[in-house]
Amino acid sequence: MAWKAQSSLGSASTPTKHRAFLFCTPTFKTEDDHEQSSLIAHYQSAPDADKLAAYAEIAGLAVRAAGGRVISRGIPLQTYENGIAQRVIVIEFDSIEAARQMHDSEDYQRALAALDGGAERDIRIVECL
């Protein structure tokens, strides 16, 4: 499956202003003194569009329920230093624990079951600085 470049700000074929992210937004401590974090998903392949769509619908609900905010998604507009033009999703959470809890939640585990091998990717949680 070929990925179509898209983001929450428009598509590659639509002239639009793009904000750039280097995986994290500038960070501040939240009211309860926790550091914000980002969950970053790097896709290597997604051969099953139907499974990916089912996963995305369920995962989106789990992310929002945990307070996550998708701040960037799509094909990189530019890559450097052995960068690969593969789909990337960056989701911001109020804390590292919130990102972990979302990933380990029953709702997100249902999303993973729906994906069922429909994509190859790696997921990382990083602290925003």
Side-chain angles (χ1 to χ4, degrees):
M1 170 181 178
W3 287 104
K4 180 179 175 185
Q6 65 180 24
S7 74
S8 57
L9 302 172
S11 70
S13 61
T14 305
T16 181
K17 289 185 178 180
H18 292 279
R19 294 182 293 167
F21 296 96
L22 187 59
F23 298 130
C24 261
T25 57
T27 297
F28 52 89
K29 289 192 176 187
T30 59
E31 289 179 15
D32 59 358
D33 207 34
H34 286 107
E35 294 292 331
Q36 286 183 315
S37 67
S38 290
L39 183 146
I40 304 165
H42 294 248
Y43 283 73
Q44 286 84 40
S45 68
D48 192 319
D50 293 334
K51 287 182 179 181
L52 186 61
Y55 159 82
E57 185 175 334
I58 300 167
L61 296 172
V63 166
R64 286 187 295 279
R69 297 163 301 282
V70 176
I71 59 173
S72 183
R73 70 173 177 234
I75 303 296
L77 300 174
Q78 180 69 52
T79 60
Y80 294 101
E81 301 179 35
N82 295 317
I84 300 170
Q86 299 285 352
R87 184 173 178 82
V88 175
I89 299 173
V90 181
I91 304 169
E92 183 180 62
F93 289 90
D94 288 336
S95 69
I96 294 168
E97 189 55 33
R100 286 182 182 139
Q101 287 177 356
M102 186 286 303
H103 183 272
D104 297 341
S105 71
E106 288 181 26
D107 289 339
Y108 189 72
Q109 295 307 305
R110 279 195 294 277
L112 290 176
L115 185 58
D116 186 33
E120 183 180 337
R121 67 217 175 117
D122 71 83
I123 295 180
R124 305 164 189 197
I125 296 174
V126 297
E127 183 177 63
C128 294
L129 302 176

